[in-house]
Amino acid sequence: MEAAVRAAAGRCLAGLCFDMGAKDAAVAADAVDTLCALLEDPDLGARRAACAALVSVTTTDEGKRRMVPAEPRPRDAVAAIIALLAEPDAYLTTAACKLVANVAVHPKARAQLREDKECLPAIDALIAGPGTDQDALVAQHARIAKDAVLWEP
């Protein structure tokens, strides 16, 4: 499938998933696995769209559970999210921070995020950003993500 088609499909799903019924339908249709695979797509637009769709889907409990499935998937979704935190694209890193905050509610995901050697340093780097208006928005979401990762029950 062409990169433009993957990106358009992800954007469409992200838009549709503002509706709770659409989120549930996406989860039921195993969209989480497909979207997780797209987090590592070579096309920036596809990564952006997949991340945005997952931000929406993971506002549901089942969406969060699907991010940490009982059966391992070929690609580790949490590791893919962590890799997105180092992307040079502000839109993508902002969405990745939102996704970290969402999935950190799940204890297994939170433990994986907390234990990863790259996660918190990447978040801290986003918080410290160079100081542009766009960096301020990224930093705001990075602080929220860090709080979610470090939260203790």
Side-chain angles (χ1 to χ4, degrees), residues 10-45:
R11 283 191 308 274
C12 181
L13 189 57
L16 289 171
C17 284
F18 279 104
D19 175 74
M20 186 55 109
K23 292 175 193 185
D24 293 338
V27 170
D30 293 327
V32 172
D33 286 343
T34 302
L35 292 168
C36 287
L38 286 173
L39 292 176
E40 298 177 310
D41 195 275
D43 181 69
L44 174 61

Side-chain angles (χ1 to χ4, degrees), residues 7 20 29 46 59 72 82 84 86 88 90 108 111 122 124 128 140 143-144 150:
M20 186 55 109
T59 61
I82 293 167
L84 296 179
K108 286 173 81 175
D124 285 337
Q140 175 186 349
R143 281 189 289 279
I144 293 166
L150 295 177

Side-chain angles (χ1 to χ4, degrees), residues 19-103:
D19 175 74
M20 186 55 109
K23 292 175 193 185
D24 293 338
V27 170
D30 293 327
V32 172
D33 286 343
T34 302
L35 292 168
C36 287
L38 286 173
L39 292 176
E40 298 177 310
D41 195 275
D43 181 69
L44 174 61
R47 291 192 308 279
R48 280 176 160 189
C51 193
L54 283 167
V55 167
S56 188
V57 170
T58 57
T59 61
T60 69
D61 290 340
E62 189 57 28
K64 289 174 183 65
R65 279 191 284 277
R66 295 287 180 102
M67 293 297 292
V68 187
E71 297 292 322
R73 58 171 63 93
R75 295 176 190 93
D76 179 13
V78 175
I81 297 166
I82 293 167
L84 296 179
L85 295 170
E87 290 265 357
D89 181 76
Y91 178 92
L92 185 53
T93 54
T94 300
C97 286
K98 290 179 179 186
L99 186 52
V100 165
N102 284 358
V103 301

